Amino acid sequence: MMDKAKKIVLRGRKVVGGCAEGEALVTRDRISGWGGIDPRTGTVIETRHELRGVSFAGKVLVFPGAKGSSGWSSQFHVARLAGKAPIAMVFNEMTTKIALGAVVAHAPSVTDFDQDPLQVIETGDWVRVDGDNGIVEVTKKN
Amino acid sequence: MKLAADEQAMLEGRQGKAKQKAMDLLVRYGEALGAERFVDTNNVCGTVGASTPFLREYGQKHGGLDAVFSEFNLDSAEVVEIPKVAVRSSHLQQGIDPEHAERQGIPVEVVKLHRRGEVYSAGLGIEMLNTCAPYTVGNVPAMGEHCAWMESSAVIYINSVLGARTNAEGRESAGCAMLTGKIPYWGYHLDENRLGTHHVELDIAVENITDWGLLGYYIGEVVQDRIPVISGVRQAPDLPKLKHFGAAAASSGGVEMYHLAGITPEAPTLEAAFGRNKPVMTFRYGKAERRQAYEHANITGRSPNVDFVMLGCPHYTLDQIGEVARLLEGRRVHENSELWIFTPRQTRLLADQKGYSKVIADAGAHLMSDTCSALGRVIPKGTRVAAADSAKQSHYLPAIMGIECWFGSTAECVDAAVTGRWNGGLQ
C-alpha cells in the first residue's frame, strides 16, 4: 500500500524505445558531452557543474538537456561501448545533441512530460522508464 | 517519419548495406527529434577519423576503418563496407598533427595509423580540410543552403553569419548524411525556428576580439541554447571576431544561432530578427557583465607561471597569424614555456608565403594544423598552467586536461609565452 502511494507516473513522448529501471541521478544543470564528461568512466568533468566528479554510469539520468559541443553524441556513444552510459534518460529540452546522443547510447528515453521531472524526481529515487509508451514511473526513496 | 521513395529504397537496402544502416540511424534520430521528414543536403561537415585512443583500439580490435565507420558513424556493430560519400563532405579537425607528432607526444605507430586513416577518408571522397573552421578555407555555404555540419563553433557561424541552415549534427548523423545526402528537416532548417528569442542591448562598445569573446561567453550563459538578438553594435565585426564570439557562446551555453541587428543577413532590422516572436527576455550588457564573463573565463587561473600558450581556437585566420608574428618579431619564447598556434593547412601555406611562419619558428614557437589542444588532448608534457586567447579553449582545456588556464588577449598570451608569466588583466 505504502509503495503504491509513493509511486508517481509521468507521461511524455518516446525518444528512444525500450524499458530500463534504476536509481535516478538528477541535475538542474545542462550537461556538456565533449569536454563535459569523461566517457571512459561516465563522470561529469565540467569545471562549474554541480555533478562534477559524479558518475552517471548505470543510472537513470534526469536533466534539463544538453549543451556545448556537437561531440555530445559521440561521447555518450563511447560511454555506452565502455559500459558507462546512463541506462535511461529523462529530460525536458529537445536538441539534436540529446536526440542523437540518446539514440546512440541505446538508452530508453522520454521527453515532453505532463509535469516537470526535475520537480518530481530526486537523486536516489527508483525510476522505471518505458520508452515505447513514453511512461516514467517514480518510486520515491522516502 | 514520412519517407520519400529514394529514402525508402535506401532503408530497404536496395542501395547496399551501408546506406541501409545510415537511413536506419537517420530514421531513429529523426523520430527521436519528432521530425516529420528529411531534407536533401549537399554539404556535410563531419568526422570519421580514428586518432583518439579509444577509437584506435576499437579499429584494431574489430577489423579496421570500416569497423570504425560502421560503429561510430552508422551506430552499427556489424561491420559493413563503406561506399564513397554521396554528397560534398568535408572533414573537421582531427586528433593529431602528423607533422608535429613528436612535439605533441604522439608515438610513431599512431602517426602511421593516422596517415592510413587520412588515405581511407580521402578515398571515400571526403575533402580533408581537417579544421574546425571550414568556412575559412573554401567550404562556405550559401545563404539558405541546407547543411549537415558538426562543430558547434562552425554551426553557429554558418547559421548566423552566412544564413546557411544547419543543426548541430553529431558524428553519427553527419556520417549518415555523407552516405545518403539526407538529414532530418527540423530545428534550424525551418524559417520559424530561426527567429530571435532574447534581446541583448549593449551598453558598452564591443570592439576588439577579446571583447567579442567575452560578450559571447556571457550571452551563452544567459540564453543557453536559445537565439539572442544583439542590438547597439557600433562597429560591424570582422570574421575573426564573429568566429570568437560564436565559439564562446556555443561553449558557455549551446547557442547555434544569433542575430546582430542591422548586420547579420537574417536581421536587417531588430524587428525582422524577432519576426512574430516577442522577446522572452531582454537584458543589458555593460561593464559589470563584461567583468563577470572575464572572471568566469579565468576561473581556473591561479599560478602566474605559464608553461604553455595555446592560440588558434577556432583555427586562426591568416591575419591572426600575422598579428602573432608581429607580436613575436625579435622576441623568443621563454625556456620554461611553449607557444603553439593552430591554423588550417591551407592557411599555413599562405603564412609560409607571407613570411609569418619563419618569424614564428625563429621565435621558438610552433605553427600547427589539423587538431587543437582540447580536441587532441595535445599539450606539452608536464603542462600545469596554460593561457589562451579563446574563451572556448579556456572553457574546455582545464576540464579535459586537468590543468589551469588563463584567458586574455592575444598580446597578453604572447607576452606570457615570452616571459613565462601571466600578467594579464581586464583592461
Side-chain angles (χ1 to χ4, degrees), chain B residues 309-325:
Chain B
V309 175
M310 188 283 181
L311 302 176
C313 168
H315 278 175
Y316 259 3
T317 62
L318 186 63
D319 284 349
Q320 291 181 286
I321 299 171
E323 191 198 347
V324 172

Side-chain angles (χ1 to χ4, degrees), chain B residues 341-357:
Chain B
I341 304 145
F342 294 86
T343 193
R345 289 184 205 185
Q346 299 84 340
T347 308
R348 198 171 52 180
L349 257 181
L350 298 172
D352 292 349
Q353 290 169 341
K354 282 262 197 180
Y356 299 155
S357 305

Side-chain angles (χ1 to χ4, degrees), chain B residues 274-294:
Chain B
F274 283 106
R276 54 175 184 152
N277 279 3
K278 257 210 163 108
V280 295
M281 182 182 169
T282 297
F283 59 95
R284 311 192 74 83
Y285 180 83
K287 269 187 175 170
E289 290 75 19
R290 178 168 172 268
R291 171 161 293 282
Q292 187 190 314
Y294 182 82

Side-chain angles (χ1 to χ4, degrees), chain A residues 83-121:
Chain A
K84 304 295 180 189
I87 54 164
M89 296 193 199
V90 171
F91 59 89
N92 286 328
E93 298 162 4
M94 179 51 78
T95 57
T96 49
K97 290 165 200 162
I98 209 164
L100 189 60
V103 164
V104 301
H106 300 180
S109 300
V110 181
T111 190
D112 288 342
F113 288 99
D114 55 357
Q115 48 185 324
D116 184 358
L118 294 174
Q119 300 295 328
V120 175
I121 309 172

